[in-house]
Amino acid sequence: MIFMLAGTSDARALALEIQKAGYLILTTVVTENAASEMKQVGIDVRTGRMTDKEMADFIREKGVQVVVDASHPFAEEASKNAIHAAEQAQVPYIRYERESQKFAYEKMTVVSSYEEAAIEAAKKKGVVMLTTGSKTLQIFTEKLVALPDVRLIARMLPRTDNMEKCEQLRLPQKNIVAIQGPFTKELDKALYNQYGVTTMITKESGKVGSVDEKVEAAKELGIDIILIERPKMEYGCVYSHFSEVLQALEEALLLKK
């Protein structure tokens, strides 16, 4: 059995390719929505976070032969747990990650952390649209909400827990854009224009994460961009194409025989 950390659209597509290649696969995701999408395409799935020890025990219990980590490029903790779990259970670990992107834009500031992004945004006046989700929202509300010359607009998934978090962090309803992607460049431009955005904050999540569209829309409107770089991690075996993952799987399973 192949155990795969999933949850994104490209991870779901990779899981289908692995299944089509004849492998028995079980995916794991964090949210019920992601689990539902997996089930809709006929992929076995479990839901919920796991520590590295819980994951290692699960790997042994299920007789997992290989761990494929196709979690989001910014799901650093999940990847660390998967690496440690594979080591503990003594099974191969394979990392699939979307190709990284480089952008040329004179009004782009590249930073290495959410905290640094918040500090940079605090230096700017005007309307700041945050498109990095709700997980790190508090970092930005603490730095920006109280500033008299900055309006923070948070764009995130339309989930109840996200709205509750916004309320807890005292982010006004008028400053919340609850919407599900994918987003086109035209929709991004419309949102920027609607709110009078002067600075947009995003993560370097890769083309599948619609970063291209966000960046191109901002460039066409002359909007400042703060881009958060991916976490720097030592994954070992890293691949950016499905064919490479399938080849690595085949080789890993041959070695175990």
Side-chain angles (χ1 to χ4, degrees):
M1 176 187 284
I2 311 303
F3 183 58
M4 179 174 167
L5 281 72
T8 61
S9 59
D10 50 336
R12 188 164 63 252
L14 175 56
L16 278 170
E17 289 300 311
I18 292 172
Q19 184 167 269
K20 286 176 185 175
Y23 297 107
L24 180 63
I25 182 168
L26 173 63
T27 59
T28 180
V29 298
V30 174
T31 67
E32 291 294 341
N33 183 64
S36 175
E37 291 183 350
M38 280 291 182
K39 291 172 184 174
Q40 285 175 16
V41 295
I43 300 291
D44 285 341
V45 62
R46 69 166 300 283
T47 311
R49 301 181 191 277
M50 285 191 284
T51 65
D52 58 347
K53 184 182 183 304
E54 289 170 340
M55 199 179 297
D57 290 341
F58 185 85
I59 289 168
R60 295 189 193 99
E61 178 190 333
K62 297 292 184 180
V64 171
Q65 295 168 288
V66 181
V67 172
V68 176
D69 176 11
S71 59
H72 192 278
F74 281 80
E76 192 174 3
E77 193 64 30
S79 289
K80 286 179 180 177
N81 286 340
I83 291 168
H84 295 154
E87 289 174 351
Q88 292 171 44
Q90 296 184 322
V91 298
Y93 167 91
I94 296 170
R95 170 65 173 168
Y96 164 76
E97 186 164 273
R98 305 165 180 171
E99 287 185 296
S100 189
Q101 291 175 286
K102 301 296 180 185
F103 299 100
Y105 183 44
E106 67 276 6
K107 299 183 75 173
M108 176 181 284
T109 303
V110 180
V111 298
S112 59
S113 68
Y114 296 100
E115 289 78 7
E116 193 179 346
I119 291 168
E120 287 297 321
K123 298 175 184 177
K124 301 177 183 291
K125 296 180 181 180
V127 180
V128 177
M129 178 168 280
L130 181 66
T131 68
T132 58
S134 64
K135 189 176 179 181
T136 57
L137 178 60
Q138 186 171 355
I139 294 170
F140 295 94
T141 55
E142 287 178 349
K143 291 279 196 303
L144 303 176
V145 166
L147 297 179
D149 50 5
V150 173
R151 180 187 179 191
L152 177 65
I153 306 294
R155 190 174 95 179
M156 63 190 65
L157 291 172
R159 295 196 330 229
T160 302
D161 58 332
N162 285 347
M163 299 307 101
E164 290 173 346
K165 187 168 190 176
C166 288
E167 185 175 4
Q168 291 166 4
L169 296 175
R170 300 184 181 280
L171 187 70
Q173 288 184 17
K174 64 182 180 180
N175 292 354
I176 301 168
V177 181
I179 189 169
Q180 170 83 50
F183 302 94
T184 62
K185 182 177 71 173
E186 289 70 27
L187 178 54
D188 283 320
K189 285 177 71 174
L191 287 172
Y192 297 157
N193 282 324
Q194 175 69 25
Y195 288 92
V197 174
T198 54
T199 300
M200 185 271 290
I201 304 174
T202 187
K203 299 182 290 190
E204 202 283 276
S205 300
K207 188 173 181 62
V208 181
S210 298
V211 178
D212 275 8
E213 288 78 2
K214 283 190 279 189
V215 168
E216 289 304 314
K219 286 170 68 174
E220 288 187 14
L221 295 175
I223 292 170
D224 288 346
I225 299 172
I226 299 174
L227 180 74
I228 305 170
E229 290 181 309
R230 294 183 185 184
K232 292 177 172 59
M233 284 189 61
E234 291 297 327
Y235 293 108
C237 298
V238 185
Y239 305 100
S240 297
H241 300 284
F242 292 0
S243 58
E244 295 172 335
V245 175
L246 290 169
Q247 181 64 37
L249 264 177
E250 185 178 344
E251 291 172 0
L253 290 168
L254 279 174
L255 285 173
K256 287 183 69 69
K257 285 184 178 179

